[in-house]
Amino acid sequence: DAGVTQSPTHLIKTRGQHVTLRCSPISGHKSVSWYQQVLGQGPQFIFQYYEKEERGRGNFPDRFSARQFPNYSSELNVNALLLGDSALYLCASARGLPYEQYFGPGTRLTVT
Amino acid sequence: GENVEQHPSTLSVQEGDSAVIKCTYSDSASNYFPWYKQELGKGPQLIIDIRSNVGEKKDQRIAVTLNKTAKHFSLHITETQPEDSAVYFCAASKDQAGTALIFGKGTTLSVSS
């Protein structure tokens, strides 16, 4: 079975721009969570979605938003990008809540 | 909120030796403790986890122990191999809807042959 997939793999944006990151969970998984991983640190929780509803939100500004689609895939949107948003953005899927979370390879975002 | 401390930050061992990574957590309500291995350029891979109703869990060369009273848990890797070299993260959560995994800062394990 395919694991969690994320797109794009890498992208470079300019300060002030907007970005959309995409995630497809493991087949049969209904929960998706988003994490931000800054170089040299552990992942930090941004959002959790289950059955298309937001179930949890981390300590991130309103510039960050997300949604989950009927097929359980998800998008993370970040507006008004700042240099500090440069990080690896990870998506994790789970069969439901609470269950083990499996991570995708991430999207490396660089803001210049 | 929950806070997870992880030690050491780096660990170098010879092939065949054992490696131990330790984590402490602050929230006594946390009851799920996974360990992830992250190789360069990849996402974290779940390698083993433990829930608070269990004191120890083993899977081949890896084992995790949990001391709820002291609020700490440890990862043990025996007979280390060069392919065990990676960054290891511990995490804690309440294992219920809407709660996040709270990660430690990671341990870089280097296994030399």
Side-chain angles (χ1 to χ4, degrees), chain A residues 35 37 40-43 45 48 55-56 88 90 97-98 100-105, chain B residues 32 36 38 42-44 46 49 51 89 95-101 103-105:
Chain A
Y35 291 80
Q37 187 177 26
Q41 301 291 321
F45 173 69
Q48 184 179 84
R55 294 301 188 97
L88 181 68
L90 295 161
L97 299 173
E100 299 83 2
Q101 296 189 35
Y102 297 90
F103 284 85
Chain B
Y32 174 63
Y36 286 87
Q38 188 172 26
K42 297 185 178 181
L46 179 64
D49 57 13
R51 287 181 165 81
F89 291 97
D95 198 20
Q96 64 189 46
T99 58
L101 291 173
F103 285 84
K105 291 188 175 181

Side-chain angles (χ1 to χ4, degrees), chain A residues 50-68:
Chain A
Y50 176 67
E51 290 282 16
K52 301 178 287 293
E53 290 187 5
E54 182 183 302
R55 294 301 188 97
R57 175 185 285 252
N59 188 24
F60 279 80
D62 291 344
R63 299 184 295 108
F64 289 76
S65 64
R67 54 180 176 168
Q68 187 177 33

Side-chain angles (χ1 to χ4, degrees), chain A residues 5-16:
Chain A
T5 59
Q6 294 187 243
S7 63
T9 305
H10 300 89
L11 75 165
I12 300 173
K13 291 286 189 177
T14 303
R15 276 177 298 175

Side-chain angles (χ1 to χ4, degrees), chain B residues 6 8 10 13 32 42 50 55 60 68 84 104:
Chain B
Q6 183 172 347
T10 60
V13 300
Y32 174 63
K42 297 185 178 181
I50 193 167
Q60 299 183 335
K68 279 204 69 181
D84 293 330

Side-chain angles (χ1 to χ4, degrees), chain B residues 36-97:
Chain B
Y36 286 87
K37 174 185 180 182
Q38 188 172 26
E39 297 175 83
L40 202 60
K42 297 185 178 181
Q45 174 194 1
L46 179 64
I47 56 172
I48 195 167
D49 57 13
I50 193 167
R51 287 181 165 81
S52 59
N53 57 345
V54 176
E56 183 176 4
K57 183 176 179 181
K58 286 184 180 180
D59 183 4
Q60 299 183 335
R61 295 187 297 109
I62 61 173
V64 58
T65 58
L66 171 64
N67 183 327
K68 279 204 69 181
T69 303
K71 290 191 283 189
H72 67 70
F73 56 113
S74 301
L75 177 71
H76 304 252
I77 305 175
T78 58
E79 300 172 22
T80 54
Q81 301 166 3
E83 50 265 40
D84 293 330
S85 297
V87 181
Y88 290 81
F89 291 97
C90 63
S93 85
K94 294 188 182 65
D95 198 20
Q96 64 189 46

